[in-house]
Amino acid sequence: MNGIGGRNGIEFFHYPWDDRPTALVWGIRVDGTDLRALTAWSTRELWRPELEDQFEDQEGESAELIWRGHDGLGVRDFEDRPDHFLTDAGAGADAVPLLGCPCGLWACWPLMASLTTTLTTVTWSSFHYPEREEWGELPLGPFVFERQAYETALRNPPVLPEDPLGPPPAGLGV
């Protein structure tokens, strides 16, 4: 954990979806690492049974699939819900989406998490995929953010010129 009082650090940003500069999506970094990267590393072993022997270039192609398994949520999709990343999941919903599918329909393959707010913290926990109930809770988080820093980061996300994720690292594939 980094940040204030042993809390996790949070950064929100926007970047173009699929090389379209006018179609922006939400990006998220936790402790300086893209949430998509954290998710890829934490689910690698869960993917193994599904991806073994699926590709000609097993290591490279499975790594690419795991690494690019998510994209940010479309900024326009959540314009009418400016408090989306502050909505306490306990208020009627069991989880909120933090990442979506690279196809552009965030509900196709969302990364869901419980989001709990207090006067001083925002916590993300119980990460899971609705489409993979058999995986249960993912080995990711929980992340606890200082609420004031969280809200400041959420209010003014910088717009990056391109997706900052980069290529998949060596050793990610199955």
Side-chain angles (χ1 to χ4, degrees):
M1 285 191 190
N2 298 330
I4 300 168
R7 306 271 195 250
N8 295 98
I10 185 76
E11 299 170 64
F12 291 99
F13 54 92
H14 297 320
Y15 63 92
W17 174 67
D18 196 25
D19 297 324
R20 289 179 245 183
T22 59
L24 297 176
V25 295
W26 283 96
I28 302 168
R29 289 188 188 111
V30 176
D31 296 332
T33 302
D34 196 301
L35 182 59
R36 296 170 294 168
L38 294 171
T39 303
W41 282 110
S42 72
T43 60
R44 177 182 179 267
E45 292 303 316
L46 295 168
W47 279 112
R48 184 178 298 278
E50 292 185 40
L51 299 180
E52 282 184 335
D53 304 322
Q54 295 257 339
F55 303 106
E56 188 172 313
D57 171 13
Q58 186 64 38
E59 177 69 21
E61 292 179 59
S62 66
E64 185 70 25
L65 184 132
I66 295 168
W67 193 245
R68 299 274 174 211
H70 288 98
D71 221 330
L73 302 176
V75 170
R76 288 186 182 158
D77 292 343
F78 293 90
E79 283 178 329
D80 62 338
R81 293 183 266 174
D83 63 343
H84 171 76
F85 291 108
L86 273 170
T87 302
D88 192 321
D94 62 353
V96 296
L98 296 176
L99 294 173
C101 183
C103 76
L105 300 174
W106 68 264
C108 176
W109 179 248
L111 173 67
M112 305 293 284
S114 292
L115 194 153
T116 307
T117 58
T118 70
L119 292 175
T120 58
T121 63
V122 176
T123 302
W124 294 351
S125 62
S126 303
F127 290 84
H128 67 279
Y129 293 120
E131 294 78 13
R132 293 289 192 284
E133 289 183 21
E134 67 275 14
W135 287 4
E137 187 174 323
L138 300 176
L140 184 63
F143 301 120
V144 181
F145 310 105
E146 193 277 322
R147 184 161 180 165
Q148 185 175 5
Y150 185 98
E151 288 188 27
T152 298
L154 188 57
R155 256 192 311 271
N156 297 305
V159 177
L160 306 181
E162 60 186 25
D163 183 346
L165 188 60
L172 180 66
V174 296

